[in-house]
Amino acid sequence: LPILNIMTTGRIKQLEAANLAAADKRVGLMKQVVEGAKAIKFMAWEQQYIDAITAARNKEVALLRRFRFYQKLNENLGRANPMISACGAFVVFALADDGSLSADNIFAVLSVFLSLRMPLIMIPMNITIIAQFKVSMQRIETFLLAPTARESEVLPPTSDLVISAKDAELTWVGAPTPVLSGVNLTVKKRSMTAVVGSVGSGKTSLLTGLLGGMAREGVIQLCDNVAYVPQKAFILSATVRENIVMGRPFDLDWYTEVVKRSELLSDLRLMVAGDSTEIGER
């Protein structure tokens, strides 16, 4: 029985790791659906995502069913340990053929194994818990030991550039091949640069790589003060003015300049309360 417990524990460990990996894939698909629901509806990708999520869930359920089977098998082997161990002791007494299989010895053996009943039952259950704990610790260790993104070099303050990339190679962490290679890019101060390309051509990967969100090779230099504005606007549940000021002391000259440069004057005129109009979700 101990050998069977060890074998089932090893199988439980393998299935737990596979089950967690399958769950990660399903959760990743669900995250894509939640974050990109609008795009999925626009592109009519509902059925494709349903099929992908269903396949991921079916795989996860199959692994979970096998995991539970071995887990319960291990627990039931533990519950059978006292009885089978007592039977084994009686067989040894009988084979000894020296008259040791007497009533007093039988009751003594039964009392010993009854006192060991709970420890013998708990040992396989605890082994299963330890195996699950080890798998969880290995996943945490993998995350903590993941390579740290290499920081970008800082351009000299006298440089007229804000971004400089020479023969850069950008790779998503864990991907076998680079997403972008041979990237050569320079962006000057006080200039506007547009990156144009089809869907999936690497525009987002380029920005992510420049900001240090990907594994990088080559030379990438940035100025000492870089801001990233995502495609999704961040709006407070407050007035237009409070969204522009963002908690800073109100400066009329600065505020007027911001509204003018962002072309908000025509929009504010259409609002009943002007810049005191409440916006955002509530």
Side-chain angles (χ1 to χ4, degrees):
L1 284 179
I3 295 176
L4 287 175
N5 286 139
I6 294 173
M7 293 174 61
T8 54
T9 300
R11 187 60 178 157
I12 286 171
K13 182 180 175 182
Q14 294 174 358
L15 290 172
E16 175 74 356
N19 182 48
L20 291 175
D24 288 343
K25 183 177 180 180
R26 177 182 57 82
V27 172
L29 288 171
M30 291 302 302
K31 182 180 178 181
Q32 292 178 21
V33 171
V34 172
E35 293 180 350
K38 184 183 293 185
I40 292 173
K41 295 296 289 184
F42 283 160
M43 304 299 293
W45 288 339
E46 296 94 331
Q47 192 58 49
Q48 287 88 335
Y49 270 92
I50 290 173
D51 294 341
I53 293 171
T54 302
R57 179 57 178 167
N58 289 339
K59 181 179 179 181
E60 181 185 0
V61 170
L63 290 169
L64 186 60
R65 187 180 292 113
R66 292 165 62 188
F67 168 78
R68 292 301 181 191
F69 170 78
Y70 282 99
Q71 185 183 43
K72 293 305 176 184
L73 176 62
N74 205 28
E75 292 177 6
N76 289 326
L77 287 174
R79 290 188 176 95
N81 264 336
M83 181 180 64
I84 296 177
S85 299
C87 292
F90 294 147
V91 169
V92 172
F93 276 125
L95 294 177
D97 197 20
D98 57 355
S100 57
L101 190 61
S102 58
D104 53 346
N105 286 337
I106 291 174
F107 284 111
V109 170
L110 287 175
S111 64
V112 169
F113 281 104
L114 284 175
S115 64
L116 294 175
R117 180 173 177 272
M118 286 308 298
L120 290 173
I121 291 175
M122 293 302 296
I123 286 174
M125 298 176 64
N126 290 331
I127 290 176
T128 302
I129 294 173
I130 291 172
Q132 292 176 287
F133 171 76
K134 188 175 181 180
V135 172
S136 300
M137 291 302 297
Q138 287 175 343
R139 287 165 60 86
I140 295 173
E141 181 183 17
T142 302
F143 172 75
L144 295 177
L145 296 180
T148 304
R150 184 165 59 91
E151 295 185 359
S152 303
E153 300 178 15
V154 179
L155 288 165
T158 56
S159 175
D160 62 341
L161 300 177
V162 291
I163 298 174
S164 175
K166 296 180 181 178
D167 297 325
E169 189 174 272
L170 308 177
T171 308
W172 288 108
V173 177
T177 57
V179 178
L180 297 172
S181 58
V183 178
N184 292 280
L185 173 68
T186 56
V187 179
K188 294 185 177 182
K189 294 180 179 179
R190 300 183 180 277
S191 66
M192 179 180 295
T193 302
V195 180
V196 182
S198 59
V199 176
S201 60
K203 301 184 295 296
T204 302
S205 299
L206 176 62
L207 291 176
T208 305
L210 292 175
L211 294 172
M214 301 171 65
R216 300 178 297 179
E217 297 292 338
V219 179
I220 297 179
Q221 296 176 304
L222 303 177
C223 65
D224 59 352
N225 190 6
V226 178
Y228 171 67
V229 182
Q231 294 174 337
K232 185 176 180 181
F234 174 75
I235 301 177
L236 297 173
S237 296
T239 63
V240 175
R241 176 180 294 188
E242 290 171 340
N243 272 275
I244 296 174
V245 175
M246 294 294 288
R248 297 187 182 89
F250 182 73
D251 184 336
L252 180 59
D253 295 335
W254 174 85
Y255 179 79
T256 304
E257 185 68 17
V258 169
V259 172
K260 181 180 178 181
R261 292 200 178 191
S262 57
E263 301 289 343
L264 281 176
L265 288 174
S266 58
D267 296 296
L268 293 176
R269 294 192 189 99
L270 298 175
M271 298 179 183
V272 177
D275 63 356
S276 298
T277 303
E278 295 278 347
I279 59 176
E281 298 180 1
R282 289 189 177 276

